[in-house]
Amino acid sequence: MQVLVTGGAGYIGSHTVKALRAKGHDVWIYDNLVYGHKQAVPQDRLLVGNLAEIDRLDHFFVTHSIDAVIHFAAYASVGESVHNPSKYYLNNVHDTLGLLELLRKHHIHRVVFSSSCAVYGIPPKTPITEDMPKNPINPYGRTKLMIEQALDDYAQAYEWGYASLRYFNAAGASRDGEIGEDHRNEGHLIPLAILAAMGQKPPLQIFGTDYPTPDGTCIRDYIHVEDLALAHVMALEKIEAGTHLNLNLGMGKGYSVREVITTVEAVSGRQVPCVEAARRIGDPAELVADPTQAMQILGWQPRYTDLAEIIQTAWKWHSTHPHGFASQ
Ligand code: UDP
């Protein structure tokens, strides 16, 4: 298939591009490189541009025969979305609707959408199944839910096939060590713990030690980025006109912040300097996926089922790229 991957130079996007190419798909990447890295993707396949540049995208669709789009391009910081919601509604919703309109114009009816477990808000129980209420508690989650709903309506009305993939916590790096996680203003637990162990970042703050969990810290479901990437390829190959898929992607197993820290220490053989801090606003105590539907419908199975193995790949990437892609 000829596939356009928006946001394909980002963390999950670049791993998906790699997985698509490994399966023989013909891939183009559209990314503004604000958060993405040109080193993460084949540069002869990269078009640098914003989602809002409709004319450029229109020209691209006129000159390329694209079968499907995987749409990652979005802002993804929960805290920022609370303080600057217009940035999120404009890019994640308005500009995405502009993209969908172009897809309509060019008769491209197959879409895989990068969604998030943030659409659930605070779940009534865990593990979370797809039919649980969708009550996002921040603008980021609301933007993801809005596009899920738009896709659902477009699929009904225009016979599109789509898959909205609701990720839990993406982690790790490619097994071959080529690409990994390099976020500007890194805020995620695993890279921050690793970088603190390497002495590259200040001591890790543990956000909240009084949650109603066994050790008082938040529990999350960490899924290897290559497993996520593979699920995108499988979803793409599965969907056809009329397919509506909303699927959780997680390992189905939760780990607390303290368990993550202990695992980083075991993998790296170094201590992770830590300080206990207040809860971070908007963090639910426990988010764990029930990934049964993705397994049954796509035939997908996470290959990484052990947190230490996931962290091992992240450690390898960070220790060989102490300054991220700039180390190359
Ligand atoms: N966390 C933490 N210290 C940090 C970053 C994150 O204690 O410096 C916690 C955070 O409160 C959450 C978990 O680690 O419970 C995972 O956070 P992350 O930002 O990696 O992913 P999120 O769950 O927000 O998508």
Side-chain angles (χ1 to χ4, degrees):
M1 256 185 263
Q2 293 242 24
V3 186
L4 176 70
V5 183
T6 72
Y11 174 44
I12 305 171
S14 59
H15 285 83
T16 301
V17 166
K18 203 168 151 74
L20 285 165
R21 285 166 62 90
K23 287 286 303 282
H25 294 291
D26 195 5
V27 185
W28 292 92
I29 299 130
Y30 190 75
D31 198 298
N32 63 8
L33 299 182
V34 171
Y35 296 110
H37 302 274
K38 62 179 188 306
Q39 303 93 324
V41 289
Q43 296 191 20
D44 60 337
R45 289 281 156 155
L46 172 67
L47 301 147
V48 181
N50 284 311
L51 217 46
E53 292 176 75
I54 290 291
D55 291 345
R56 289 196 63 196
L57 276 167
D58 193 26
H59 177 72
F60 173 79
F61 289 125
V62 169
T63 51
H64 295 77
S65 169
I66 295 296
D67 301 301
V69 171
I70 304 187
H71 179 45
F72 289 99
Y75 294 118
S77 164
V78 168
E80 186 187 48
S81 80
V82 174
H83 298 295
N84 191 3
S86 90
K87 176 174 173 179
Y88 281 70
Y89 285 105
L90 284 175
N91 183 80
N92 296 12
V93 180
H94 176 273
D95 294 347
T96 294
L97 292 177
L99 172 69
L100 297 188
E101 206 46 33
L102 276 182
L103 301 190
R104 237 157 67 73
K105 177 175 169 190
H106 293 281
H107 308 288
I108 300 165
H109 295 163
R110 198 191 284 244
V111 180
V112 177
F113 175 56
S114 160
S115 189
S116 164
C117 64
V119 299
Y120 295 108
I122 298 172
K125 62 183 175 69
T126 57
I128 301 172
T129 49
E130 285 84 355
D131 56 357
M132 280 188 187
K134 265 60 90 192
N135 293 316
I137 56 169
N138 49 59
Y140 167 69
R142 281 189 275 276
T143 65
K144 290 290 172 185
L145 184 58
M146 285 174 190
I147 297 303
E148 282 198 4
Q149 290 168 330
L151 280 171
D152 199 48
D153 290 336
Y154 283 35
Q156 297 271 7
Y158 311 133
E159 290 195 21
W160 288 20
Y162 81 90
S164 289
L165 304 181
R166 298 174 181 153
Y167 320 146
F168 284 66
N169 290 58
S174 68
R175 197 184 278 276
D176 63 11
E178 274 184 6
I179 51 177
E181 188 168 12
D182 178 3
H183 289 120
R184 191 174 300 167
N185 304 323
E186 185 57 76
H188 292 111
L189 177 63
I190 291 176
L192 285 177
I194 289 175
L195 293 166
M198 290 169 64
Q200 297 257 357
K201 290 268 184 195
L204 180 77
Q205 295 186 66
I206 301 176
F207 293 142
T209 52
D210 59 348
Y211 283 98
T213 59
D215 69 16
T217 64
C218 286
I219 293 175
R220 293 289 180 273
D221 182 340
Y222 296 90
I223 168 152
H224 195 270
V225 65
E226 286 185 326
D227 282 328
L228 272 183
L230 186 64
H232 287 76
V233 180
M234 297 178 95
L236 180 80
E237 291 172 349
K238 178 88 188 169
I239 53 182
E240 50 192 35
T243 308
H244 299 227
L245 290 177
N246 295 290
L247 298 174
N248 288 341
L249 293 177
M251 215 208 288
K253 208 152 97 185
Y255 294 91
S256 73
V257 172
R258 287 201 200 280
E259 285 172 322
V260 169
I261 294 168
T262 312
T263 310
V264 169
E265 291 183 331
V267 165
S268 66
R270 301 195 192 185
Q271 201 209 340
V272 177
C274 297
V275 289
E276 292 188 1
R279 290 183 179 195
R280 192 172 65 176
I281 293 169
D283 269 342
E286 183 169 353
L287 292 173
V288 177
D290 179 339
T292 309
Q293 282 214 37
M295 292 174 177
Q296 286 177 349
I297 296 172
L298 301 181
W300 170 80
Q301 190 77 40
R303 286 174 299 186
Y304 292 80
T305 52
D306 174 36
L307 182 65
E309 219 189 328
I310 295 176
I311 290 179
Q312 185 69 53
T313 64
W315 171 254
K316 179 173 160 191
W317 159 260
H318 287 291
S319 45
T320 52
H321 298 77
H323 305 290
F325 285 100
S327 306
Q328 286 179 356

